[in-house]
Amino acid sequence: MTPHRNGSTGVSEFLLNCFVRSPSWQLWLSLPLSILFLVAMGANGVLLITIWLEASLHQPMYYLLSLLSLLDIVLCLTVIPKVLIIFWFDLKSISFDACFLQMYIINCFYAMESCTFMVMAYDRYVAICHPLRYPSIITERFVAKAAAFILARNGIVTVTLPILSSRLNYCGRNVIENCICANLSVSKLSCDDVTINRILQFAGGWTLLGSDLILIFLSYGLILRAVLRLKAEGAMAKALSTCGSHFILILFFSTVLLVFVLTHMMKKKVSPDVPVLLNVLHNVIPAALNPIVYGVRTQEIKQGIQRLLKKGW
């Protein structure tokens, strides 16, 4: 133990103890987790390069896809390499500052990704429900303002939680029963009252993610209503195919978070390793699926990738 910055006795580092009740999970999870990590990094990297190099893709919708890919890459790099190092080399230690930096990035980028999904849902709503006005509404200026809003809202609101957690008095206990520095896992090591910390976690999460989810459902509800009125042959099928896959992916993103919250609330009935597993997978599965669902299934991006491959050869 070393003196903490505020002068009280605390810890200088934490130990991330993954899967306390089921240590064998580390062995069978390491290979699929590595594959998912490589797929996520590769697919998002290809998507970013394609949008950057292809002039025909320099449009607002593809800028939003680029933002989503950047968020996925940062989340993956923040979490998965450290988890794999723990699995392979049993290097569990993480410094005090690095732990709370990781906590901030995870909370902030989750909220940014949710907000980006909301802006993309609005983009699809305008494209389908007001196609003639789409070029005048969804402009590069709109994307710049949306990106600034996403960064400012979530960057400012989520900074409070890691700051409060870092100011708690950790009286020597430094073993986190998780693979990442999640707020609930870290704060319970403190010997201070963490009621305010937990209330902020709950209120902030439901305010940010909940409001985004309501607006996403509203957008896709209006899209569905407009699609059902389409008379042109094949128009309904095309719209449902595009928006349906997007909505399913957003629903998956939200459902995993909901299951994670519920398992924490019912921790006496569910193994403590289950929310840890969900925490890890939620940082890599959406990142691997997003570029496939949003990017490769988009005809223009598929053609752009093919053109780049031909140039490469």
Side-chain angles (χ1 to χ4, degrees):
M1 292 190 298
T2 59
H4 192 248
R5 294 180 194 79
N6 60 11
S8 62
T9 303
V11 297
S12 60
E13 64 178 21
F14 293 103
L15 297 177
L16 295 167
N17 197 11
C18 298
F19 306 126
V20 181
R21 275 77 175 176
S22 310
S24 61
W25 286 14
Q26 293 187 186
L27 181 63
W28 63 260
L29 188 60
S30 60
L31 180 59
L33 192 63
S34 304
I35 294 171
L36 283 170
F37 175 69
L38 291 175
V39 169
M41 298 302 294
N44 283 290
V46 168
L47 187 61
L48 281 172
I49 291 169
T50 303
I51 293 173
W52 179 40
L53 294 179
E54 282 293 312
S56 62
L57 298 179
H58 294 174
Q59 300 175 31
M61 181 178 71
Y62 303 114
Y63 294 147
L64 292 173
L65 282 175
S66 299
L67 177 59
L68 187 64
S69 287
L70 283 172
L71 296 175
D72 284 335
I73 287 173
V74 173
L75 270 173
C76 271
L77 289 175
T78 302
V79 175
I80 305 303
K82 179 59 180 177
V83 174
L84 291 175
I85 287 173
I86 294 171
F87 286 179
W88 291 337
F89 308 109
D90 203 34
L91 298 176
K92 301 179 179 181
S93 63
I94 183 171
S95 70
F96 189 91
D97 292 330
C99 185
F100 291 102
L101 177 61
Q102 187 191 65
M103 183 189 297
Y104 171 68
I105 291 174
I106 291 171
N107 290 341
C108 180
F109 279 67
Y110 271 162
M112 284 185 185
E113 191 157 333
S114 172
C115 197
T116 304
F117 279 136
M118 182 262 290
V119 176
M120 292 172 75
Y122 176 71
D123 170 83
R124 292 299 85 203
Y125 161 73
V126 176
I128 293 173
C129 298
H130 304 283
L132 297 179
R133 297 177 58 198
Y134 181 83
S136 62
I137 296 175
I138 309 298
T139 60
E140 292 187 1
R141 187 176 180 182
F142 167 83
V143 173
K145 288 182 178 179
F149 170 74
I150 290 168
L151 293 171
R153 187 197 78 164
N154 301 295
I156 294 171
V157 173
T158 57
V159 75
T160 308
L161 201 59
I163 289 176
L164 283 178
S165 295
S166 67
R167 302 308 302 169
L168 294 173
N169 186 25
Y170 296 91
C171 313
R173 292 194 300 162
N174 70 336
V175 179
I176 302 170
E177 293 186 0
N178 205 331
C179 297
I180 63 176
C181 289
N183 173 60
L184 295 176
S185 300
V186 177
S187 61
K188 72 178 183 181
L189 300 178
S190 170
C191 46
D192 293 337
D193 183 14
V194 294
T195 303
I196 295 177
N197 188 288
R198 291 176 180 272
I199 290 173
L200 278 175
Q201 166 95 25
F202 182 82
W206 284 108
T207 300
L208 294 177
L209 303 182
S211 61
D212 291 342
L213 194 58
I214 289 170
L215 292 172
I216 287 169
F217 272 101
L218 179 63
S219 295
Y220 280 104
L222 293 171
I223 288 172
L224 182 61
R225 188 181 70 172
V227 164
L228 293 176
R229 294 176 178 175
L230 292 176
K231 304 296 183 182
E233 185 179 351
M236 182 186 296
K238 184 179 179 181
L240 287 176
S241 174
T242 303
C243 295
S245 56
H246 295 185
F247 183 72
I248 289 170
L249 195 58
I250 292 167
L251 202 59
F252 173 80
F253 175 84
S254 307
T255 303
V256 173
L257 281 179
L258 182 61
V259 171
F260 172 68
V261 171
L262 291 175
T263 51
H264 259 294
M265 293 171 64
M266 300 184 298
K267 49 188 167 184
K268 291 184 179 179
K269 298 180 181 179
V270 179
S271 170
D273 289 336
V274 172
V276 174
L277 178 64
L278 289 173
N279 236 336
V280 173
L281 294 179
H282 191 254
N283 286 280
V284 67
I285 291 179
L289 293 178
N290 284 342
I292 297 171
V293 173
Y294 280 100
V296 178
R297 288 199 61 187
T298 304
Q299 190 65 28
E300 291 81 1
I301 290 180
K302 193 185 298 184
Q303 292 171 353
I305 293 173
Q306 290 171 351
R307 284 194 293 270
L308 286 179
L309 289 175
K310 289 178 181 177
K311 289 178 184 177
W313 283 111

